[in-house]
Amino acid sequence: MIHEFDPYFNYRTTLFLTEKGFYEFWNWFDSESWYPLGRIIGGTLYPGLMVTAALIYWALRFLRFFVHIREVCVLTAPFFASNTTLVAYFFGKEIWDTGAGLVAAVLIAICPGYISRSVAGSYDNEAVAIFALLLTFYLFVKAVNTGSLAWALGSAFGYFYMVSAWGGYVFIINLVPLYVLVLLITGRYSMRLYIAYNCMYILGMLLAMQIRFVGFQHVQSGEHMGAMGVFLLMQVFYFLDWVKYQLNDTKLFQTFLRITVTSAILVGGIALGVGTASGYISPWTGRFYSLLDPTYAKDHIPIIASVSEHQPTAWSSFMFDYHILLFLFPAGLYFCFKRLSDATIFIVMYGLTSLYFAGVMVRLILVATPAVCLISAIAVSATVKNLTSLLRTKQKVSQTGSTKGAGSSKASSKVTLDQSQPFQKNGASALLVGVFYLLSRYAIHCTWVTSEAYSSPSIVLAARGAHGNRILFDDYREAYYWLRQNTPTDAKIMSWWDYGYQITAMGNRTVIVDNNTWNNTHIATVGRAMSSNEDEAYEIMRSLDVNYVLVVFGGVTGYSSDDINKFLWMVRIGGGVFPVIKEPDYLVNGEFRVDKGASPKMLNCLMYKLCYYRFGELTTEYGKPPGYDRARGGEIGNKDIKLEHLEEAYTTSNWIVRIYRVKPPTNRL
Amino acid sequence: MVKSTTKDAQDLFHSLRSTYVATPTNLKIIDLYVCFAVFTALIQVAYMALVGSFPFNSFLSGVLSCIGTAVLAVCLRIQVNKENKEFKDLAPERAFADFVLCNLVLHLVIINFLG
């Protein structure tokens, strides 16, 4: 089964790709979402994931395994997670040695930070994107280490795959130039760096521009200008280096240096200034700007602030997702600094920058996971190596008792033993036992986390009954299939944007807004409709040709992610575009209430009426009055709700999803 | 002051020229190719300044193919140059093969991008 919300859209597009072929997919205009605007799907998605799943599907079909595309989609993420493990091994081998590679592969195989997005059923962009990210970084570091054009070409292809898979490719196109800059400044540059970066940048940029969604951003967007700046800087830098080598006379070279540097800075500065001022180079978009300035989204872009994945990370999340890797990370940093090389500088920079961003947004813990695993692996591998070599040399000295001179010199060349500490062997073995105990606790923690937190498909809810048995709430799918079977095929459904993808994929009906959230005004219109009273909302719904309204209500089951709890975000987003919606109108003394003391505007708004219609007659809990809302923990204020322009079409068995039909206008007479 | 800078420039020029004459012929051929590619790119930019950049993808693909092949030629020069200690055990045939492969990929992408 496909989990969550976004994977349903990805599944629908993959289905379309396998049924209609690549050309139709690339030029697809979808009129079933964002009614009446439609959506140019071919040009506004990252095709990597869908194309990968389709290729696997066609390969299996060619081998005469007739699987359903849904099975391929569900299992794509774990397949690529195992590929990531392989790449982590090679990357660890490149940075440190084979031991570190092995430990890195083991750590990343079960790390909860990565598992959260790569369970079977999580058919989302990050499933292949993290594989592409690590592959690109590995190939680039290999290119810098060997100086071979072939590896640099490989990293360009890795970058192309990353660009096709996820919008997070901006991280690569900024981290790699930053790394080059750091190497240039610290004087560790070499010819290999020039070859690696230039080949990757030019070929990678060209390949990336083949994706329609990315388009010309590599030369026009502020987020990509860093890479271009470093590219030009490199040309100037290496040219100066070559001239210096040719000249052998420092005085002449100084003058030449002065002239070139001033002219280069002037030209570069003027170009950048003109570009930014004239608006040709677009500034950093809100999504990435809110990473640099975390308070930006809350004030200016409520849609980005409202997503729960975009909240700042708490320490408990770090501990939950990383466990022992949290304190192995600084230890690994220490080892990296002891043995600095091009590769270790890269992994240190990757780790530090990604951890900073992981602190800003919860969902970016995923991007930091490979770096944390690799650096921790270095710590574990180096420590275990030191300890075991201590154990081994002790035995050698004790064996070669007669030829003591030769034996002790051999031993001292490997490890300098301190003869004044007689219990070193015991200490070393005790520490080794400690290390293995830690690693085993890590494994236990990871399996526990996976089973408790990251296995739920979130479209089917589970709870414990009174006798401890597990009860499943399948209301979402029940409602979507009701829509699919009982509404006319051209019906338009209005709901909050969270459910758009699922309604289109499972209910097969046109929706007004969905999870793509590309049009803020359209979403604000829906938010305004939900927050207004029934007559005003009816006007808006008539203007959008809405036939059915779908709301999610958790009052009967105690489900807390329902629309009433999201209601304030609807008000904020609606109020961001239509100033007639004011958030304080819905609050009482700054508090959000749904009981008798709630504000009148709240008690009469469409969302309230649709959620609590006929709820006043229902007894939800023993000993509580009828109309007791189990999610908010209070008795609702307005129990006698009458609907004038809508009528109830369907309520699921646990009242989680409620569907209403919009009545046509009454006759004028 | 001006005289000293012109004399400096002349000295610079002569010194560079004398050292450059000593470089092996194969490297000079690569340098010529790089200059040709950059020159072609500049002509394209001048043309774009005249007639506007309407099929922007065509303009980008033209300029980037020139810059790309220039950069790849510079990489080849670095790898083939006998004076670079880092690459002394890299066979020049391997370097050239890498160069050809990267150029092939570059031009395939350009053809797709040209529109």
Side-chain angles (χ1 to χ4, degrees):
Chain A
M1 181 170 34
I2 311 255
H3 297 188
E4 300 272 326
F5 301 109
D6 281 357
Y8 276 98
F9 171 70
N10 296 331
Y11 171 61
R12 183 168 158 247
T13 49
T14 316
L15 198 59
F16 188 86
L17 172 60
T18 51
E19 282 171 2
K20 302 266 175 43
F22 188 71
Y23 192 72
E24 288 292 318
F25 171 75
W26 201 240
N27 294 309
W28 186 15
F29 179 82
D30 180 32
S31 40
E32 272 193 34
S33 54
W34 296 91
Y35 186 84
L37 307 164
R39 179 185 168 187
I40 310 172
I41 293 194
T44 56
L45 58 48
Y46 288 105
L49 176 70
M50 298 86 185
V51 171
T52 311
L55 282 175
I56 297 176
Y57 173 72
W58 284 324
L60 287 174
R61 290 224 138 200
F62 177 73
L63 295 172
R64 299 293 177 259
F65 288 113
F66 288 110
V67 291
H68 192 278
I69 181 71
R70 188 183 58 240
E71 317 302 335
V72 175
C73 290
V74 163
L75 292 171
T76 301
F79 175 59
F80 274 92
S82 46
N83 292 346
T84 309
T85 317
L86 292 172
V87 176
Y89 166 68
F90 287 111
F91 202 178
K93 196 164 88 146
E94 194 63 32
I95 300 176
W96 200 257
D97 62 17
T98 47
L102 264 179
V103 180
V106 167
L107 287 178
I108 204 173
I110 48 177
C111 187
Y114 187 30
I115 287 194
S116 59
R117 289 298 217 157
S118 69
V119 287
S122 172
Y123 183 56
D124 207 353
N125 292 2
E126 287 91 343
V128 293
I130 298 298
F131 166 70
L133 181 87
L134 206 57
L135 186 70
T136 311
F137 283 152
Y138 164 62
L139 292 171
F140 180 68
V141 170
K142 189 92 185 171
V144 171
N145 273 342
T146 57
S148 138
L149 260 182
W151 286 107
L153 179 67
S155 75
F157 274 117
Y159 178 63
F160 171 56
Y161 189 40
M162 179 70 187
V163 170
S164 73
W166 196 32
Y169 74 88
V170 173
F171 181 61
I172 301 188
I173 202 68
N174 280 312
L175 179 66
V176 170
L178 193 65
Y179 166 67
V180 169
L181 207 58
V182 164
L183 283 188
L184 285 179
I185 292 176
T186 55
R188 285 177 176 272
Y189 57 90
S190 63
M191 292 297 163
R192 297 170 280 123
L193 181 70
Y194 181 86
I195 295 176
Y197 181 66
N198 278 316
C199 179
M200 181 193 166
Y201 178 62
I202 295 286
L203 283 173
M205 173 163 74
L206 267 174
L207 283 167
M209 290 203 274
Q210 308 308 307
I211 309 288
R212 279 174 68 191
F213 194 25
V214 172
F216 301 128
Q217 276 183 12
H218 275 72
V219 292
Q220 284 178 339
S221 153
E223 296 146 9
H224 304 77
M225 285 298 117
M228 190 185 285
V230 169
F231 173 69
L232 294 169
L233 178 73
M234 260 197 137
Q235 309 307 317
V236 171
F237 202 89
Y238 278 81
F239 180 64
L240 286 174
D241 212 37
W242 180 66
V243 167
K244 181 162 152 192
Y245 181 72
Q246 299 277 70
L247 273 183
N248 299 330
D249 180 349
T250 45
K251 187 174 157 307
L252 276 176
F253 176 65
Q254 294 296 340
T255 38
F256 181 69
L257 178 70
R258 242 193 342 222
I259 304 170
T260 326
V261 169
T262 39
S263 55
I265 291 181
L266 263 176
V267 167
I270 291 177
L272 189 67
V274 164
T276 325
S278 69
Y280 186 72
I281 297 179
S282 55
W284 282 60
T285 52
R287 277 183 77 187
F288 298 111
Y289 190 72
S290 59
L291 285 176
L292 297 177
D293 175 13
T295 57
Y296 180 75
K298 192 97 206 284
D299 299 330
H300 298 267
I301 318 176
I303 271 201
I304 295 182
S306 70
V307 181
S308 66
E309 292 182 310
H310 290 181
Q311 304 311 312
T313 326
W315 270 111
S316 52
S317 297
F318 274 116
M319 189 61 190
F320 194 67
D321 278 337
Y322 287 143
H323 203 238
I324 59 167
L325 303 183
L326 258 185
F327 60 80
L328 285 179
F329 181 74
L333 280 183
Y334 164 71
F335 280 108
C336 284
F337 275 107
K338 264 182 77 174
R339 198 169 100 182
L340 271 185
S341 67
D342 290 346
T344 47
I345 294 183
F346 181 80
I347 196 68
V348 164
M349 284 189 63
Y350 173 29
L352 291 175
T353 47
S354 59
L355 260 191
Y356 167 71
F357 290 127
V360 174
M361 263 195 201
V362 175
R363 73 180 296 195
L364 294 179
I365 282 191
L366 175 69
V367 175
T369 303
V372 169
C373 286
L374 278 163
I375 296 184
S376 313
I378 291 177
V380 172
S381 170
T383 316
V384 170
K385 242 194 177 146
N386 284 342
L387 291 174
T388 48
S389 66
L390 256 180
L391 279 179
R392 278 208 213 119
T393 49
K394 258 289 189 176
Q395 285 177 348
K396 253 195 187 144
V397 167
S398 61
Q399 273 175 3
T400 60
S402 55
T403 57
K404 206 171 185 182
S408 61
S409 65
K410 217 201 251 172
S412 61
S413 66
K414 275 204 188 133
V415 164
T416 45
L417 282 172
D418 195 351
Q419 293 299 328
S420 63
Q421 288 181 334
F423 291 106
Q424 262 190 328
K425 183 182 170 196
N426 298 336
S429 48
L431 280 177
L432 264 182
V433 167
V435 167
F436 291 133
Y437 171 71
L438 270 181
L439 290 176
S440 64
R441 291 302 312 180
Y442 171 69
I444 294 174
H445 170 85
C446 293
T447 40
W448 173 79
V449 162
T450 314
S451 73
E452 279 297 310
Y454 292 137
S455 296
S456 78
S458 78
I459 193 168
V460 175
L461 310 165
R464 295 264 162 219
H467 304 286
N469 54 327
R470 204 216 289 254
I471 307 178
L472 293 175
F473 299 120
D474 210 0
D475 289 46
Y476 280 105
R477 294 198 296 174
E478 189 187 332
Y480 300 142
Y481 274 93
W482 183 89
L483 274 180
R484 195 190 185 108
Q485 290 163 346
N486 294 294
T487 56
T489 38
D490 60 350
K492 327 266 185 297
I493 320 284
M494 181 172 94
S495 70
W496 193 235
W497 58 263
D498 294 11
Y499 316 107
Y501 280 156
Q502 286 180 338
I503 296 177
T504 334
M506 278 193 274
N508 202 22
R509 293 285 177 269
T510 312
V511 290
I512 305 290
V513 287
D514 69 13
N515 305 55
N516 191 27
T517 66
W518 66 271
N519 191 332
N520 193 32
T521 315
H522 217 51
I523 296 183
T525 315
V526 171
R528 181 182 176 186
M530 296 293 194
S531 344
S532 322
N533 58 16
E534 204 185 337
D535 295 317
E536 292 168 8
Y538 186 64
E539 293 281 322
I540 299 176
M541 289 193 287
R542 291 287 303 154
S543 76
L544 287 173
D545 283 351
V546 175
N547 301 114
Y548 287 86
V549 181
L550 185 146
V551 293
V552 168
F553 172 56
V556 174
T557 47
Y559 177 52
S560 56
S561 304
D562 64 349
D563 280 357
I564 293 282
N565 278 344
K566 292 179 194 164
F567 180 65
L568 275 182
W569 283 111
M570 298 186 199
V571 170
R572 283 179 198 135
I573 294 175
V577 177
F578 301 105
V580 67
I581 309 280
K582 291 187 262 293
E583 192 182 339
D585 288 346
Y586 298 87
L587 304 169
V588 173
N589 292 332
E591 204 187 318
F592 180 61
R593 293 168 67 171
V594 294
D595 51 10
K596 278 213 166 30
S599 68
K601 215 158 160 81
M602 180 70 204
L603 289 174
N604 287 315
C605 73
L606 184 72
M607 176 58 72
Y608 189 93
K609 283 189 167 181
L610 293 183
C611 283
Y612 292 122
Y613 182 65
R614 289 192 308 117
F615 184 61
E617 310 149 13
L618 192 70
T619 313
T620 50
E621 223 174 277
Y622 180 70
K624 296 282 195 313
Y628 181 75
D629 184 346
R630 289 178 71 188
R632 257 66 55 185
E635 197 184 333
I636 61 168
N638 187 358
K639 291 192 194 174
D640 189 20
I641 297 177
K642 297 235 179 331
L643 290 174
E644 190 186 329
H645 299 290
L646 295 124
E647 57 182 4
E648 189 179 359
Y650 188 68
T651 299
T652 55
S653 45
N654 295 302
W655 285 55
I656 292 187
V657 183
R658 310 195 67 182
I659 305 178
Y660 293 84
R661 186 179 302 117
V662 177
K663 290 200 280 207
T666 51
N667 293 328
R668 299 250 175 166
L669 291 168
Chain B
M1 184 60 191
V2 177
K3 222 170 176 196
S4 72
T5 40
T6 47
K7 191 175 171 311
D8 272 343
Q10 272 185 338
D11 279 341
L12 193 70
F13 189 62
H14 284 305
S15 171
L16 276 174
R17 195 164 183 194
S18 57
T19 350
Y20 190 66
V21 169
T23 54
T25 329
N26 56 348
L27 295 183
K28 282 201 219 164
I29 295 177
I30 298 179
D31 290 340
L32 197 60
Y33 179 68
V34 172
C35 293
F36 160 69
V38 174
F39 183 59
T40 318
L42 288 173
I43 294 183
Q44 291 186 4
V45 173
Y47 180 70
M48 187 270 296
L50 277 177
V51 301
S53 71
F54 164 55
F56 194 56
N57 53 323
S58 315
F59 165 65
L60 265 185
S61 58
V63 170
L64 281 177
S65 78
C66 294
I67 307 266
T69 186
V71 158
L72 288 172
V74 171
C75 293
L76 175 67
R77 186 189 200 278
I78 292 173
Q79 287 183 327
V80 163
N81 197 353
K82 300 258 185 321
E83 293 167 10
N84 280 335
K85 306 283 180 310
E86 282 176 346
F87 291 106
K88 66 175 160 47
D89 42 358
L90 181 73
E93 288 82 13
R94 164 78 198 271
F96 188 68
D98 281 344
F99 172 71
V100 166
L101 177 68
C102 289
N103 263 319
L104 192 67
V105 172
L106 177 76
H107 288 98
L108 275 175
V109 181
I110 295 292
I111 291 174
N112 183 35
F113 199 39
L114 208 49

Short mmCIF file of all heavy atoms in Angstrom, two decimals, chain A residues 575-603:
data_model
loop_
_atom_site.label_atom_id
_atom_site.label_comp_id
_atom_site.label_asym_id
_atom_site.label_seq_id
_atom_site.Cartn_x
_atom_site.Cartn_y
_atom_site.Cartn_z
N GLY A 575 -6.44 34.64 5.14
CA GLY A 575 -6.28 36.04 5.51
C GLY A 575 -5.07 36.69 4.88
O GLY A 575 -5.00 37.90 4.76
N GLY A 576 -4.10 35.86 4.46
CA GLY A 576 -2.93 36.42 3.80
C GLY A 576 -3.26 37.04 2.46
O GLY A 576 -2.59 37.95 2.01
N VAL A 577 -4.31 36.54 1.81
CA VAL A 577 -4.68 37.07 0.50
C VAL A 577 -5.93 37.93 0.57
O VAL A 577 -6.06 38.93 -0.12
CB VAL A 577 -4.89 35.90 -0.49
CG1 VAL A 577 -5.35 36.42 -1.81
CG2 VAL A 577 -3.61 35.12 -0.64
N PHE A 578 -6.91 37.52 1.45
CA PHE A 578 -8.15 38.28 1.57
C PHE A 578 -8.20 38.91 2.95
O PHE A 578 -8.51 38.24 3.93
CB PHE A 578 -9.35 37.35 1.40
CG PHE A 578 -9.37 36.64 0.08
CD1 PHE A 578 -9.02 35.31 0.00
CD2 PHE A 578 -9.71 37.32 -1.08
CE1 PHE A 578 -9.03 34.65 -1.21
CE2 PHE A 578 -9.72 36.67 -2.29
CZ PHE A 578 -9.38 35.34 -2.36
N PRO A 579 -7.94 40.21 3.08
CA PRO A 579 -7.87 40.81 4.42
C PRO A 579 -9.18 40.78 5.17
O PRO A 579 -9.20 41.08 6.36
CB PRO A 579 -7.44 42.26 4.14
CG PRO A 579 -6.95 42.27 2.74
CD PRO A 579 -7.64 41.18 2.02
N VAL A 580 -10.28 40.38 4.51
CA VAL A 580 -11.55 40.34 5.22
C VAL A 580 -11.57 39.23 6.27
O VAL A 580 -12.33 39.29 7.22
CB VAL A 580 -12.70 40.18 4.19
CG1 VAL A 580 -12.62 38.82 3.53
CG2 VAL A 580 -14.03 40.39 4.82
N ILE A 581 -10.68 38.23 6.09
CA ILE A 581 -10.58 37.15 7.08
C ILE A 581 -9.52 37.56 8.09
O ILE A 581 -8.36 37.72 7.75
CB ILE A 581 -10.14 35.83 6.41
CG1 ILE A 581 -11.00 35.51 5.21
CG2 ILE A 581 -10.10 34.72 7.40
CD1 ILE A 581 -12.30 34.92 5.54
N LYS A 582 -9.96 37.75 9.35
CA LYS A 582 -8.97 38.19 10.34
C LYS A 582 -8.87 37.13 11.42
O LYS A 582 -9.88 36.69 11.97
CB LYS A 582 -9.41 39.52 10.96
CG LYS A 582 -9.33 40.67 9.97
CD LYS A 582 -9.61 41.99 10.67
CE LYS A 582 -11.04 42.44 10.47
NZ LYS A 582 -11.35 42.79 9.09
N GLU A 583 -7.66 36.72 11.72
CA GLU A 583 -7.48 35.62 12.68
C GLU A 583 -8.05 35.92 14.06
O GLU A 583 -8.66 35.04 14.67
CB GLU A 583 -5.99 35.28 12.78
CG GLU A 583 -5.74 33.98 13.52
CD GLU A 583 -4.25 33.69 13.66
OE1 GLU A 583 -3.46 34.24 12.87
OE2 GLU A 583 -3.90 32.91 14.55
N PRO A 584 -7.90 37.11 14.62
CA PRO A 584 -8.44 37.34 15.98
C PRO A 584 -9.94 37.15 16.08
O PRO A 584 -10.45 36.91 17.17
CB PRO A 584 -8.05 38.80 16.27
CG PRO A 584 -6.90 39.08 15.38
CD PRO A 584 -7.13 38.28 14.15
N ASP A 585 -10.67 37.23 14.94
CA ASP A 585 -12.12 37.03 15.00
C ASP A 585 -12.48 35.63 15.46
O ASP A 585 -13.57 35.40 15.95
CB ASP A 585 -12.74 37.24 13.61
CG ASP A 585 -12.74 38.71 13.22
OD1 ASP A 585 -12.51 39.54 14.11
OD2 ASP A 585 -12.96 39.00 12.03
N TYR A 586 -11.58 34.67 15.20
CA TYR A 586 -11.92 33.28 15.49
C TYR A 586 -11.38 32.83 16.84
O TYR A 586 -11.61 31.71 17.25
CB TYR A 586 -11.34 32.37 14.40
CG TYR A 586 -11.92 32.67 13.04
CD1 TYR A 586 -11.36 33.64 12.24
CD2 TYR A 586 -13.05 32.00 12.60
CE1 TYR A 586 -11.91 33.94 11.01
CE2 TYR A 586 -13.59 32.29 11.37
CZ TYR A 586 -13.03 33.27 10.59
OH TYR A 586 -13.57 33.55 9.37
N LEU A 587 -10.65 33.72 17.51
CA LEU A 587 -10.07 33.36 18.79
C LEU A 587 -10.78 34.10 19.89
O LEU A 587 -11.34 35.17 19.68
CB LEU A 587 -8.58 33.72 18.82
CG LEU A 587 -7.74 33.12 17.71
CD1 LEU A 587 -6.37 33.77 17.70
CD2 LEU A 587 -7.62 31.64 17.89
N VAL A 588 -10.75 33.52 21.10
CA VAL A 588 -11.30 34.18 22.27
C VAL A 588 -10.14 34.41 23.22
O VAL A 588 -9.57 33.46 23.74
CB VAL A 588 -12.37 33.29 22.94
CG1 VAL A 588 -12.83 33.90 24.23
CG2 VAL A 588 -13.51 33.06 22.00
N ASN A 589 -9.78 35.69 23.43
CA ASN A 589 -8.62 36.02 24.27
C ASN A 589 -7.37 35.29 23.78
O ASN A 589 -6.60 34.79 24.57
CB ASN A 589 -8.86 35.63 25.74
CG ASN A 589 -9.93 36.48 26.36
OD1 ASN A 589 -10.13 37.61 25.95
ND2 ASN A 589 -10.62 35.91 27.34
N GLY A 590 -7.22 35.20 22.45
CA GLY A 590 -6.03 34.56 21.91
C GLY A 590 -6.08 33.04 21.97
O GLY A 590 -5.12 32.37 21.61
N GLU A 591 -7.22 32.48 22.42
CA GLU A 591 -7.30 31.03 22.57
C GLU A 591 -8.28 30.47 21.56
O GLU A 591 -9.32 31.07 21.28
CB GLU A 591 -7.81 30.75 23.97
CG GLU A 591 -7.44 29.39 24.51
CD GLU A 591 -8.14 29.14 25.84
OE1 GLU A 591 -8.18 30.10 26.64
OE2 GLU A 591 -8.64 28.04 26.04
N PHE A 592 -7.97 29.30 21.03
CA PHE A 592 -8.82 28.68 20.03
C PHE A 592 -9.78 27.72 20.73
O PHE A 592 -9.33 26.75 21.34
CB PHE A 592 -7.93 27.93 19.02
CG PHE A 592 -8.68 27.26 17.92
CD1 PHE A 592 -9.46 27.99 17.05
CD2 PHE A 592 -8.60 25.89 17.76
CE1 PHE A 592 -10.16 27.37 16.03
CE2 PHE A 592 -9.29 25.26 16.74
CZ PHE A 592 -10.07 26.00 15.88
N ARG A 593 -11.07 28.03 20.70
CA ARG A 593 -12.04 27.19 21.41
C ARG A 593 -13.17 26.80 20.49
O ARG A 593 -13.53 27.54 19.57
CB ARG A 593 -12.62 27.96 22.59
CG ARG A 593 -11.58 28.25 23.66
CD ARG A 593 -12.10 29.24 24.64
NE ARG A 593 -13.20 28.67 25.42
CZ ARG A 593 -13.71 29.28 26.48
NH1 ARG A 593 -13.25 30.45 26.85
NH2 ARG A 593 -14.70 28.73 27.15
N VAL A 594 -13.76 25.63 20.75
CA VAL A 594 -14.92 25.20 19.97
C VAL A 594 -16.13 24.99 20.86
O VAL A 594 -17.18 24.62 20.38
CB VAL A 594 -14.63 23.90 19.19
CG1 VAL A 594 -13.58 24.14 18.15
CG2 VAL A 594 -14.19 22.80 20.13
N ASP A 595 -16.02 25.25 22.16
CA ASP A 595 -17.15 24.98 23.04
C ASP A 595 -18.03 26.23 23.14
O ASP A 595 -17.97 27.12 22.31
CB ASP A 595 -16.64 24.55 24.42
CG ASP A 595 -15.61 25.54 24.95
OD1 ASP A 595 -15.46 26.62 24.33
OD2 ASP A 595 -14.95 25.23 25.94
N LYS A 596 -18.86 26.32 24.18
CA LYS A 596 -19.82 27.42 24.26
C LYS A 596 -19.16 28.79 24.26
O LYS A 596 -19.74 29.77 23.84
CB LYS A 596 -20.65 27.27 25.54
CG LYS A 596 -21.77 26.31 25.41
CD LYS A 596 -22.96 26.73 26.25
CE LYS A 596 -24.23 25.98 25.90
NZ LYS A 596 -24.08 24.64 25.42
N GLY A 597 -17.94 28.87 24.75
CA GLY A 597 -17.27 30.17 24.84
C GLY A 597 -16.56 30.59 23.57
O GLY A 597 -15.84 31.58 23.58
N ALA A 598 -16.78 29.84 22.49
CA ALA A 598 -16.06 30.18 21.26
C ALA A 598 -16.64 31.44 20.64
O ALA A 598 -17.78 31.83 20.90
CB ALA A 598 -16.15 29.02 20.26
N SER A 599 -15.83 32.07 19.77
CA SER A 599 -16.30 33.32 19.16
C SER A 599 -17.44 33.01 18.19
O SER A 599 -17.49 31.95 17.59
CB SER A 599 -15.15 34.00 18.43
OG SER A 599 -14.78 33.23 17.32
N PRO A 600 -18.38 33.96 18.01
CA PRO A 600 -19.53 33.70 17.14
C PRO A 600 -19.12 33.41 15.71
O PRO A 600 -19.77 32.61 15.02
CB PRO A 600 -20.37 34.98 17.24
CG PRO A 600 -19.51 35.97 17.92
CD PRO A 600 -18.48 35.26 18.68
N LYS A 601 -18.05 34.07 15.25
CA LYS A 601 -17.62 33.81 13.88
C LYS A 601 -17.18 32.36 13.72
O LYS A 601 -17.45 31.72 12.71
CB LYS A 601 -16.46 34.75 13.52
CG LYS A 601 -16.54 35.15 12.08
CD LYS A 601 -15.79 36.40 11.79
CE LYS A 601 -15.51 36.45 10.31
NZ LYS A 601 -16.37 36.83 9.41
N MET A 602 -16.54 31.84 14.77
CA MET A 602 -16.10 30.45 14.72
C MET A 602 -17.30 29.52 14.72
O MET A 602 -17.36 28.54 14.00
CB MET A 602 -15.22 30.19 15.96
CG MET A 602 -14.70 28.79 16.06
SD MET A 602 -13.48 28.48 14.80
CE MET A 602 -13.60 26.74 14.69
N LEU A 603 -18.32 29.84 15.55
CA LEU A 603 -19.46 28.94 15.67
C LEU A 603 -20.29 28.91 14.40
O LEU A 603 -21.06 27.98 14.20
CB LEU A 603 -20.35 29.37 16.85
CG LEU A 603 -19.75 29.12 18.23
CD1 LEU A 603 -20.64 29.71 19.29
CD2 LEU A 603 -19.58 27.64 18.47
#
